[in-house]
Amino acid sequence: MIINPLGNTGIGVSRLCFGTLTMGPFQRGLTPAEGAALIERAFSHGVNFLDTAEIYETYPHVREALLIKPDAVVCTKSYSYDAATAEASFKKAVEGIGREYIDVFLLHEQESAHTIRGHAEAVEFFLRKKEQGLIGAVGLSTHYVRCMQAALTHPELDVLFPLINKKGVGIADGTADDMLQVIKQAHSLGRGVIAMKPLGGGHLIAEREEALDFILGLDCIDTVAMGMQSIDEVDFNCAVFNGEEPDPAIAERLSRVRRRMLIQDWCQGCGTCVAACRNHAITMEDGVARIDYGKCATCGYCARACPEFNIKVI
């Protein structure tokens, strides 16, 4: 598989990044051993880059995978906002994956210049760790065009992780073209760019080939993070990213797979999921939660927040 430089960070990453969100308790609920077996399959195809986050609860899966390939590149993310929470997140990450060094550490789901400013103390902590040789690169992930624009004014944020797909599904404040213009600017400035949700959280599965052609045709993106839950998904995606023709039988099986959020009938209407949804896809109607599937990115964050375990990704 092609290994691209991650901007000017000096880190080399495979064109396909293995996203671990979907294997964790939010969605598939694989054991660490099962998750590591999937990652090992991706390693065999040339993947060297893993994406995780504190909220995903997949550090144990990554830890198992690193026993197979200790030199794999790992990106993690946290919602830390000051020195104390940043220190706690860093400690949790290194202990969780079983190694002292984190290749890429990002602020998770930033929204604007205001949230970047509000998390400045955490960034300063991560930058100190970078100076100490314990973090390779620092940056942020976002679903917002305005946040990407703001990030360009912060040269210390050397890796950006925006949401981009051919239809702009999941972009909170603009279109795919809007986001793409900022991504091009970031790339031209030497920022590392990791693309997320090329299939729109599953909404573009029916248009999978076109959606992947779109993302792979962008020379302003260094690597693309994709969640994978099965051997079929790993083999299919790795073939596409390696420029090979996927097995038609695998393609046919995957064409039948759909994902969506399910809110159980016994929803108590507490509204916790509304606050947890960064895409503003959930509203309260007649005392129960309702999902706008046009906005939903099937990330599963609402499921984690629900105190009654009434929401699932199926």
Side-chain angles (χ1 to χ4, degrees):
M1 183 171 293
I2 293 173
I3 302 295
N4 289 324
L6 186 59
N8 292 337
T9 65
I11 301 170
V13 292
S14 51
R15 196 180 190 192
L16 175 62
C17 169
F18 196 119
T20 64
L21 166 64
T22 58
M23 68 168 57
F26 285 4
Q27 297 195 21
R28 188 71 183 275
L30 299 181
T31 66
E34 290 169 334
L38 281 186
I39 297 172
E40 182 178 16
R41 183 76 165 208
F43 288 158
S44 74
H45 289 293
V47 170
N48 79 334
F49 191 23
L50 309 179
D51 172 60
T52 183
E54 186 173 320
I55 194 175
Y56 295 174
E57 299 179 17
T58 56
Y59 285 163
H61 306 68
V62 173
R63 185 187 186 102
E64 289 283 329
L66 291 178
L67 296 176
I68 301 164
K69 185 175 175 59
D71 63 342
V73 180
V74 177
C75 170
T76 192
K77 307 176 289 293
S78 84
Y79 293 114
S80 51
Y81 53 87
D82 60 13
T85 53
E87 183 175 16
S89 289
F90 180 79
K91 182 178 180 181
K92 188 170 184 178
V94 295
E95 291 180 352
I97 71 170
R99 131 178 138 181
E100 295 182 354
Y101 177 82
I102 303 294
D103 299 276
V104 182
F105 214 119
L106 307 180
L107 298 178
H108 202 168
E109 288 194 310
Q110 300 299 285
E111 297 181 1
S112 67
H114 304 299
T115 50
I116 296 174
R117 184 166 57 250
H119 293 72
E121 191 174 311
V123 172
E124 291 172 3
F125 176 87
F126 295 138
L127 291 174
R128 288 196 297 272
K129 289 296 182 183
K130 181 179 176 183
E131 291 173 358
Q132 296 166 10
L134 297 176
I135 290 178
V138 176
L140 59 78
S141 71
T142 186
H143 294 187
Y144 288 81
V145 175
R146 69 189 181 201
C147 184
M148 283 290 288
Q149 292 168 333
L152 298 185
T153 68
H154 290 267
E156 70 276 14
L157 301 175
D158 43 17
V159 175
L160 304 178
F161 196 165
L163 189 159
I164 181 68
N165 53 67
K166 75 168 194 164
K167 290 191 173 179
V169 176
I171 296 175
D173 63 344
T175 67
D177 285 341
D178 295 333
M179 184 67 87
L180 190 54
Q181 291 308 309
V182 191
I183 289 173
K184 289 178 178 177
Q185 294 177 49
H187 178 76
S188 70
L189 293 172
R191 308 296 180 92
V193 179
I194 309 168
M196 75 168 88
K197 299 196 184 299
L199 298 182
H203 292 288
L204 301 178
I205 286 177
E207 307 167 58
R208 182 180 56 233
E209 287 76 11
E210 296 87 348
L212 292 179
D213 284 346
F214 169 82
I215 206 75
L216 290 173
L218 301 176
D219 60 6
C220 53
I221 289 172
D222 302 319
T223 180
V224 181
M226 296 188 69
M228 293 176 273
Q229 303 179 340
S230 67
I231 291 294
D232 274 355
E233 289 184 352
V234 172
D235 288 348
F236 181 92
N237 291 330
C238 287
V240 171
F241 277 74
N242 279 329
E244 302 165 358
E245 187 68 27
D247 184 327
I250 293 177
E252 196 279 329
R253 288 196 295 271
L254 290 177
S255 70
R256 299 196 300 265
V257 176
R258 295 290 184 273
R259 286 192 296 158
R260 66 185 181 91
M261 302 304 300
L262 172 67
I263 298 180
Q264 305 284 7
D265 293 338
W266 50 88
C267 170
Q268 301 298 304
C270 68
T272 305
C273 56
V274 177
C277 180
R278 300 304 181 97
N279 279 4
H280 311 293
I282 307 178
T283 56
M284 299 302 298
E285 298 179 16
D286 300 322
V288 296
R290 303 294 184 194
I291 296 176
D292 180 345
Y293 289 100
K295 295 180 179 178
C296 177
T298 59
C299 61
Y301 292 177
C302 57
R304 183 180 189 274
C306 178
E308 302 296 329
F309 304 102
N310 289 334
I311 308 177
K312 295 180 179 180
V313 180
I314 62 171

